[in-house]
Amino acid sequence: MKKLPLPGHSARSTFDTCVSGISEFTLRSRFDAVVSDFESWANYYDVQATMANLFSIQPFTADGTNIVFGTITKNELSKLYTYYMVKKSSARYIYDHILISANDKCPYCGGIGRPRTLDHYLPKSKYPQFSVVPNNLLPCCRDCNSGNKQTSIATSEEEQVLHPYFDHDKFFNQQWINARVHPGNPCCLEYYVNPPCSWSHTDKARVLKHFNDFGLDARYSIQAGEELSILIDQRKGHMEKFTNNQFSQYLSSIGSSSSLFVNHWKKIMYQTLAADSWFCNENF
């Protein structure tokens, strides 16, 4: 929904910083011995993400040893993230830098939620080799972090939700969300996916997957409902003398604001209301 620049922290330096916080010599030495393996996996991640092929990376399958690479286990890689990146330890500043890069707007839902944690795009429970890879860590609000994405693993390109670091600009610069007005007292807006006809079947499927997994229909409608109440009060108050055409022009001016990105719920709301004859003509 919102494009983000890459974190700017290399996988190698992040790994080294995390490992530097380990006080137990033997464990730290074991991690030091696999830095090349870790870096290779991180590079492979970038290649696949650039091609929208992260679905092709197979989830980790545990055996009797739970070894991911070298002598390092899945549990040890998970703890590397939890104890040496999330907690106030050696690499916490990297965690914080990635978190604040979203400017307090969750990229998955388009900013209606405020990031409070980092999400593993490929979850560390299934892909422990990417536990501390910065390009796999996304600022995320609580609602998005508890959505369907957390329980599903993509097995094809079209099942992948949008990746704010790597996906094509068209997903962020072209409109693929629309809304319709449901007349009534109170009236409400229904949001739905309507990507450009020129998009491929796969691209259309991906935005629908993203929209559904993060529950954007209901979440956007709730946001619009609050805004509608204020707008209707304004229409009955200081905009009472507006003609229907003037009211429509007012709505359109907000809907065309360059300060709102193309798929912002508010931008789409005002565009929809401006074009809806019932709403503009209604005597609230």
Side-chain angles (χ1 to χ4, degrees):
M1 289 296 297
K2 283 184 66 66
K3 186 82 168 177
L4 291 180
L6 287 167
H9 298 277
S10 74
R12 172 66 180 264
S13 64
T14 301
F15 181 83
D16 287 342
T17 303
C18 289
V19 171
S20 70
I22 300 174
S23 59
E24 204 279 302
F25 176 77
T26 301
L27 179 60
R28 187 170 69 248
S29 296
R30 289 172 51 230
F31 269 109
D32 285 337
V34 299
V35 64
S36 294
D37 295 308
F38 174 82
E39 194 168 25
S40 294
W41 273 109
N43 291 336
Y44 183 62
Y45 180 99
D46 287 353
V47 170
Q48 299 306 313
T50 300
M51 298 187 296
N53 282 342
L54 286 176
F55 73 91
S56 67
I57 303 177
Q58 295 301 304
F60 174 73
T61 302
D63 58 17
T65 65
N66 273 332
I67 296 294
V68 178
F69 42 61
T71 63
I72 301 299
T73 66
K74 173 184 176 180
N75 188 48
E76 287 170 333
L77 281 166
S78 180
K79 287 182 177 179
L80 187 67
Y81 173 77
T82 302
Y83 294 115
Y84 301 100
M85 195 171 191
V86 177
K87 293 189 175 181
K88 298 294 183 182
S89 188
S90 51
R92 177 66 195 204
Y93 76 94
I94 299 176
Y95 181 100
D96 290 339
H97 182 265
I98 297 173
L99 189 63
I100 66 175
S101 68
N103 294 318
D104 218 23
K105 297 183 184 300
C106 176
Y108 285 130
C109 61
I112 60 174
R114 303 174 67 181
R116 288 294 177 263
T117 187
L118 294 185
D119 170 61
H120 289 78
Y121 184 88
L122 292 183
K124 68 180 185 298
S125 62
K126 301 292 185 180
Y127 302 89
Q129 65 270 42
F130 305 122
S131 292
V132 297
V133 173
N135 292 354
N136 188 48
L137 301 175
L138 279 300
C140 186
C141 69
R142 291 191 177 97
D143 284 341
C144 287
N145 200 36
S146 60
N148 289 342
K149 173 186 172 295
Q150 302 305 311
T151 58
S152 63
I153 300 296
T155 58
S156 66
E157 182 178 352
E158 62 188 40
E159 292 179 355
Q160 298 176 128
V161 299
L162 300 182
H163 199 308
Y165 295 147
F166 288 99
D167 269 320
H168 195 280
D169 287 346
K170 68 183 173 186
F171 292 115
F172 309 96
N173 297 337
Q174 295 182 33
Q175 184 175 344
W176 51 269
I177 295 178
N178 276 338
R180 59 175 65 95
V181 178
H182 287 278
N185 186 19
C187 65
C188 64
L189 261 71
E190 175 191 2
Y191 288 82
Y192 61 95
V193 172
N194 184 30
C197 295
S198 60
W199 283 18
S200 69
H201 169 77
T202 296
D203 291 342
K204 292 176 181 178
R206 287 194 65 196
V207 293
L208 180 60
K209 170 74 171 175
H210 189 100
F211 188 81
N212 289 337
D213 273 15
F214 292 111
L216 299 186
D217 49 352
R219 294 170 68 188
Y220 283 8
S221 291
I222 290 171
Q223 295 289 322
E226 296 175 355
E227 185 78 7
L228 270 169
S229 296
I230 297 171
L231 179 61
I232 291 172
D233 283 344
Q234 292 174 329
R235 178 59 165 149
K236 293 188 292 187
H238 71 272
M239 287 190 286
E240 183 181 14
K241 302 297 185 182
F242 280 21
T243 66
N244 297 337
N245 187 54
Q246 287 174 328
F247 186 47
S248 177
Q249 289 178 349
Y250 167 77
L251 298 172
S252 182
S253 69
I254 299 177
S256 61
S257 172
S258 59
S259 65
L260 302 173
F261 64 89
V262 66
N263 286 299
H264 194 286
W265 68 267
K266 190 172 183 178
K267 187 181 190 75
I268 294 167
M269 168 187 165
Y270 277 90
Q271 289 174 343
T272 300
L273 295 177
D276 189 271
S277 59
W278 173 84
F279 187 81
C280 293
N281 295 332
E282 177 67 5
N283 184 15
F284 297 103

